Amino acid sequence: MPTFLVQFAQSHDEFRLPEFLSLAKLEKVKVSYNEEDYKLDNPFFKVQLESKEDAQKLVKRAILINDTIRHIFELWGEGSNYEEVHTQVKQQTSDRWNDYMTCSFRFTVSAFGSTITYKEQLDIINSFSYLGFQGPIDMKNPDVKFHVLADYGAENGTELSAPIHIYMGILVATGSRDLVNLYNLKKRKYLGTTSMDAELSLVMANQALAAPGKIVYDPFVGTGSFLFTCAHFGAFTMGSDIDGRQIRGKGKSGVKTNIEQYNLQGRVLDALVFDICHNPWRSQQWLDAIVTDPPYGVRAGAKKLGRSDGKELTMRSYDGIPMHTREDYYPPTKPYEMSEVLTDLLNFAAEHLLLGGRLVYWLPTIVDEYSNTDVPQHPCMTLISNSEQNFGLWSRRLITMEKVKDWSKKDEAVVEQSVVSDAEKAEIMEKGQEDPKRPGHFLFREKYFNFGH
């Protein structure tokens, strides 16, 4: 298969390859690559694809392929110096030159980890004069765009005098940041304290393989960020939340306001109010994906139905009117520890996802206490990717899982949990560190607010 060069964004580096591979699966594109060629601190990645058309399929909705303009190149030559590049171009691509002989064209020279002066760029471009193209040079809208990309590496911020590797090829697929700009939170009419930023919401939609005709559900919907991005790619979306106030909003602004803003009335089906632990769904496989950001407590603590004092829930009235019928009603709740949230989420996903369906969610964790074994497991689910977004003392991990086995009642999530008393919690917080036997997400909210104390 022909070799292509992908130029990734140098942001969210752990998310780039999982998104790329998810899009390959979604578009049914066969991709081959050497795992050693992919490096988190480098934007360039060589892959083998069957055609240019496949490259264009991959880039059309990718979010993390180049930060401003998404690029995939058909690779013509590479090497550790320009002589090696020229040798490859002459030996491997001479049969292609006639295809571009009379086309308008443009050469662009760029560098990663350094800068190249205008004079040096001209010298590099002129060194390819042996190609003999006779078409006009068009700097604005050429038929063909040739690129020379010099990789100077990222060694501790030290700029090297010469590139460590050079690539030359034709741009075959490109795009823009239009989607990120469209769903930018600064332009959104209704926001909440936990609204997910546009870029990561779109990446999660890609990880979930959101596509026309699929049903995507968010059980902790909040202000609905994932409903919009998954619906943008054609999926039917719906969500639920224990707190209907976030869904309804205030005054004339709410989730429905954003649905209208993005013209998604035909795809965002509804947002319902109930506790996921007491959900009304039938026990059957019907969801194509679950995309969610569980409430882990940085801005809003996780809650579930119940009373903190242990008393049973009872029907209550005010002036003879049942309390639960009031528009501003908020049911009695009790704390929902992160391990419990994860157990319920995985069990729900295993029961309701279709085979091949995906669960995409955020896992918060304390950086120094995290271990790969902390990631919850389920006999019906397999881990696809685990990507970290680091915030210093704490981080959140984007976990993507796929359902590979039909669910039965005996199948249960395997999540490290610890039942502790209030006195034990206080001792843990006083020591300032966690028992190594417990996962990094255990008592996450309490530890988060204890940082710096």
Side-chain angles (χ1 to χ4, degrees):
M1 293 193 294
T3 299
F4 293 81
L5 181 70
V6 179
Q7 185 176 7
F8 282 117
Q10 274 304 96
S11 64
H12 300 309
D13 46 14
E14 289 198 12
F15 299 72
R16 303 178 311 190
L17 186 57
E19 184 198 27
F20 182 80
L21 296 178
S22 292
L23 290 174
K25 179 168 184 172
L26 181 66
E27 297 290 344
K28 297 180 173 59
V29 170
K30 185 178 180 181
V31 179
S32 178
Y33 64 93
N34 184 345
E35 290 186 6
E36 296 179 356
D37 287 342
Y38 180 72
K39 296 178 175 59
L40 293 177
D41 62 353
N42 193 283
F44 303 116
F45 180 47
K46 288 192 301 181
V47 298
Q48 286 73 47
L49 305 172
E50 292 184 338
S51 66
K52 295 179 183 179
E53 290 73 24
D54 280 351
Q56 291 162 354
K57 289 179 183 178
L58 290 175
V59 81
K60 67 183 181 182
R61 62 181 267 184
I63 304 303
L64 299 179
I65 295 181
N66 201 292
D67 203 21
T68 53
I69 299 177
R70 299 171 283 179
H71 291 319
I72 297 184
F73 307 91
E74 180 186 50
L75 194 59
W76 275 30
E78 62 175 313
S80 57
N81 55 58
Y82 286 98
E83 287 184 7
E84 292 180 4
V85 175
H86 290 308
T87 299
Q88 275 203 16
V89 171
K90 291 174 182 178
Q91 291 180 351
Q92 299 180 14
T93 69
S94 58
D95 59 330
R96 306 178 207 173
W97 298 356
N98 282 336
D99 295 339
Y100 306 99
M101 195 57 65
T102 58
C103 296
S104 62
F105 68 96
R106 181 182 78 198
F107 263 84
T108 301
V109 178
S110 58
F112 169 69
S114 185
T115 56
I116 301 176
T117 66
Y118 181 68
K119 182 181 182 305
E120 290 172 329
Q121 291 181 42
L122 286 178
D123 290 341
I124 292 168
I125 292 171
N126 288 331
S127 71
F128 288 91
S129 60
Y130 57 83
L131 293 170
F133 297 141
Q134 298 171 9
I137 296 173
D138 186 342
M139 301 304 292
K140 291 185 177 180
N141 189 30
D143 297 325
V144 187
K145 299 175 183 178
F146 293 91
H147 283 251
V148 179
L149 305 105
D151 180 7
Y152 284 78
E155 292 292 331
N156 300 319
T158 303
E159 188 171 316
L160 303 177
S161 58
I164 57 177
H165 208 80
I166 304 159
Y167 305 94
M168 184 273 186
I170 294 179
L171 182 64
V172 297
T174 189
S176 70
R177 295 277 287 179
D178 289 349
L179 280 188
V180 175
N181 293 331
L182 175 64
Y183 291 99
N184 191 321
L185 293 183
K186 293 180 180 178
K187 301 177 182 178
R188 190 169 296 175
K189 292 183 179 179
Y190 172 60
L191 289 176
T193 56
T194 59
S195 297
M196 180 65 63
D197 74 78
E199 185 172 58
L200 291 174
S201 294
L202 289 160
V203 169
M204 291 176 73
N206 283 338
Q207 290 287 86
L209 310 180
K214 292 188 174 183
I215 300 177
V216 180
Y217 173 59
D218 181 355
F220 304 103
V221 72
T223 57
S225 292
F226 306 135
L227 302 187
F228 314 137
T229 52
C230 291
H232 176 89
F233 293 125
F236 295 110
T237 65
M238 60 190 306
S240 64
D241 205 291
I242 192 173
D243 188 353
R245 295 172 298 181
Q246 293 190 84
I247 298 171
R248 292 188 294 268
K250 293 183 178 180
K252 295 182 179 180
S253 295
V255 169
K256 286 186 177 180
T257 308
N258 294 337
I259 296 172
E260 293 169 359
Q261 177 184 352
Y262 299 127
N263 195 28
L264 295 171
Q265 294 94 325
R267 296 178 188 164
V268 179
L269 303 179
D270 210 343
L272 312 174
V273 181
F274 58 78
D275 179 1
I276 190 62
C277 300
H278 303 83
N279 69 79
W281 307 123
R282 294 178 180 176
S283 180
Q284 62 184 35
Q285 301 178 125
W286 62 289
L287 294 170
D288 293 286
I290 296 170
V291 181
T292 194
D293 183 19
Y296 43 84
V298 173
R299 293 191 178 98
K303 302 287 185 181
K304 64 179 178 178
L305 287 178
R307 295 188 182 279
S308 298
D309 57 13
K311 295 181 180 179
E312 287 189 18
L313 293 176
T314 58
M315 183 75 73
R316 301 177 65 192
S317 298
Y318 182 78
D319 288 341
I321 301 174
M323 292 285 288
H324 69 275
T325 63
R326 293 172 57 93
E327 189 171 324
D328 60 350
Y329 175 73
Y330 184 70
T333 59
K334 60 183 179 181
Y336 198 11
E337 204 279 311
M338 194 63 208
S339 295
E340 296 179 85
V341 176
L342 296 174
T343 299
D344 292 339
L345 179 61
L346 260 72
N347 285 334
F348 179 88
E351 182 176 354
H352 294 280
L353 281 174
L354 294 164
L355 277 177
R358 287 195 168 186
L359 167 64
V360 183
Y361 71 95
W362 288 103
L363 173 68
T365 188
I366 305 301
V367 171
D368 290 342
E369 298 170 10
Y370 171 76
S371 166
N372 285 335
T373 59
D374 290 353
V375 179
Q377 305 294 319
H378 195 285
C380 297
M381 310 287 289
T382 188
L383 181 67
I384 299 296
S385 63
N386 175 357
S387 307
E388 182 187 35
Q389 185 183 24
N390 191 291
F391 296 100
L393 293 174
W394 73 282
S395 70
R396 59 182 181 184
R397 291 179 170 272
L398 184 60
I399 306 298
T400 301
M401 306 185 81
E402 188 167 297
K403 186 171 177 179
V404 294
K405 175 188 169 213
D406 283 324
W407 174 83
S408 68
K409 290 185 178 180
K410 66 179 181 179
D411 295 320
E412 293 286 339
V414 180
V415 182
E416 289 290 336
Q417 296 192 54
S418 299
V419 178
V420 296
S421 65
D422 290 341
E424 288 174 313
K425 285 185 180 180
E427 184 180 356
I428 289 170
M429 301 313 301
E430 183 180 350
K431 290 180 179 178
Q433 61 182 9
E434 185 51 75
D435 183 334
K437 295 181 181 179
R438 296 188 175 105
H441 54 260
F442 179 70
L443 290 182
F444 176 81
R445 177 176 167 79
E446 289 85 346
K447 288 181 284 185
Y448 175 84
F449 286 108
N450 201 46
F451 288 151
H453 294 290

